[in-house]
């Protein structure tokens, strides 16, 4: 009996790892099959580890999201909260709450109703409470959550909240534990807000010329182009021909179309949850 349980646990771990490799490789359909087999193997264990069970369900949610199945992703995340440890893993639960909020925001975008946005705000609030208990641990995930909340505020047209969140995001982005990609998105969001919604292009230029030099070399071309596009619009508004020429040349060198920021689901398995 011991060997059987041990083997089932090993199979579940192996299937979960294989699924995660395929998911990261952009093959969510195949990955979902491995995650399903991991759950099946775990189901034969009398007392499966709740953290492992929760992580597999989170991975299934990620693959469902990649395939556009928002309802399926939501079901997996809710189940993950039900089976996951109630204590001892605040970061993992915070990430799951944040992912649920992201799904609700996307459902709101599809349905064009406030009901999903209201649900999203409750999940974001739960995530923030848990993240703040353990900061600066998982500060990168916390920043990602703040950035996701900006999208929800924008959907409501709540500029006061967008102001608070983007300002806070740039403060958090200065922490050494934050990934350059998330830091750059925070600066880009704040710069875009200052120019578009506060009509302060000079503040945008000051912020971005201060923060971009350290971040751009560490970030992918598409994200770099998006940040430079915000700076270019602000520089044009200030009437600075030298800066406009410099930024335009940098964008031409990248030879990519600037992309829009988007909501991102966090991955507990990649961060030890």
């Amino acid at each position: 009996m011991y060997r059987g349980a041990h083997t089932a646990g090993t199979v579940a771990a192996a299937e979960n790892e294989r699924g995660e490799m395929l998911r990261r490789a952009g093959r969510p359909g195949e990955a979902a099959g491995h995650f399903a087999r991991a759950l099946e193997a775990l189901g034969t264990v009398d007392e499966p580890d709740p953290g492992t069970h929760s992580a597999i369900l989170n991975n299934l949610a990620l693959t469902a999201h990649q395939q556009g199945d928002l309802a399926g992703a939501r079901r997996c995340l809710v189940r993950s909260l039900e089976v996951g440890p109630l204590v001892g893993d605040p970061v993992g639960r915070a990430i799951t709450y944040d992912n649920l909020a992201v799904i609700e925001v996307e459902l709101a975008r599809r349905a064009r109703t406030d009901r999903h946005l209201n649900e999203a705000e409750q999940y974001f609030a739960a995530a923030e409470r848990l993240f703040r208990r353990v900061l600066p641990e998982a500060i990168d995930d916390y920043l990602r959550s703040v950035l996701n909340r900006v999208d929800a505020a924008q959907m409501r047209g709540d500029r006061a909240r967008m102001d608070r969140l983007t300002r806070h995001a740039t403060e958090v982005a200065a922490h050494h534990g934050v990934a350059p990609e998330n830091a750059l998105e925070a600066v880009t969001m704040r710069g875009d807000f200052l120019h578009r919604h506060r009509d302060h292009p000079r503040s945008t230029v000051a912020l971005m010329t201060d923060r971009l030099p350290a971040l751009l070399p560490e970030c992918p071309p598409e994200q770099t182009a998006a940040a430079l596009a915000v700076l270019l619009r602000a520089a044009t508004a200030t009437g600075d021909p030298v800066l406009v020429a410099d930024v335009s040349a940098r964008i031409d060198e990248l030879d990519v179309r600037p992309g829009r920021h988007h909501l991102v689901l966090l991955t507990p398995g990649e961060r030890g949850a």
Side-chain angles (χ1 to χ4, degrees):
M1 290 177 64
Y2 170 79
R3 285 199 300 272
H6 181 71
T7 300
T10 302
V11 169
E15 290 286 0
N16 184 54
E17 184 174 351
R18 176 63 175 163
E20 184 62 359
M21 290 174 60
L22 288 166
R23 187 190 69 77
R24 294 183 192 178
R27 296 156 67 181
E30 295 174 65
H34 288 279
F35 293 140
R37 285 191 286 276
L39 282 180
E40 183 179 352
L42 208 62
T44 65
V45 180
D46 288 337
E47 295 183 4
D49 174 61
T52 300
H53 195 176
S54 177
I56 295 170
L57 286 167
N58 264 277
N59 286 334
L60 265 175
L62 290 167
T63 58
H65 181 258
Q66 283 179 277
Q67 297 176 95
D69 181 6
L70 300 182
R74 189 185 189 283
R75 285 194 299 272
C76 288
L77 291 168
V78 170
R79 285 181 61 199
S80 174
L81 288 172
E82 292 170 349
V83 305
L86 296 178
V87 295
D89 185 23
V91 174
R93 291 184 72 80
I95 287 172
T96 303
Y97 276 122
D98 189 77
N99 285 345
L100 266 169
V102 167
I103 296 298
E104 293 290 353
V105 171
E106 295 194 13
L107 286 168
R109 186 171 283 116
R110 288 185 180 183
R112 299 182 183 278
T113 66
D114 285 343
R115 179 173 64 85
H116 290 294
L117 277 180
N118 294 338
E119 290 284 338
E121 288 175 357
Q122 292 183 37
Y123 289 136
F124 277 135
E128 182 177 23
R129 286 193 297 270
L130 289 167
F131 274 131
R132 285 187 176 276
R133 280 170 45 191
V134 296
L135 290 177
E137 180 186 352
I139 193 165
D140 195 39
D141 292 313
Y142 171 67
L143 174 58
R144 184 70 257 168
S145 181
V146 174
L147 297 176
N148 287 338
R149 289 168 62 194
V150 175
D151 278 278
Q154 186 169 17
M155 284 187 66
R156 284 200 185 277
D158 190 340
R159 294 187 180 182
R161 182 176 294 184
M162 289 174 66
D163 191 5
R164 291 194 300 272
L165 289 171
T166 56
R167 185 190 305 112
H168 181 52
T170 56
E171 294 167 354
V172 176
H175 192 278
H176 64 83
V178 168
E181 294 88 347
N182 284 336
L184 180 59
E185 184 163 343
V187 172
T188 302
M189 274 190 174
R190 180 62 178 171
D192 190 56
F193 174 82
L194 288 170
H195 184 197
R196 289 180 182 272
H197 299 292
R198 288 291 181 261
D199 195 24
H200 292 161
R202 294 188 185 280
S203 297
T204 298
V205 169
L207 171 68
M208 301 191 80
T209 54
D210 178 58
R211 302 284 282 272
L212 262 54
L215 296 173
L216 294 186
E218 306 297 324
C219 293
E222 294 80 5
Q223 193 179 13
T224 295
L228 290 174
V230 171
L231 177 56
L232 178 61
R233 288 193 295 270
T236 301
T238 64
D240 186 337
V242 176
L243 183 58
V244 167
D246 181 45
V247 175
S248 296
R250 291 287 303 277
I251 293 175
D252 290 341
E253 290 171 3
L254 292 169
D255 194 28
V256 295
R257 290 185 178 182
R260 179 190 178 277
H261 72 268
H262 56 283
L263 291 101
V264 174
L265 264 68
L266 302 175
T267 309
E270 293 176 355
R271 297 172 171 85

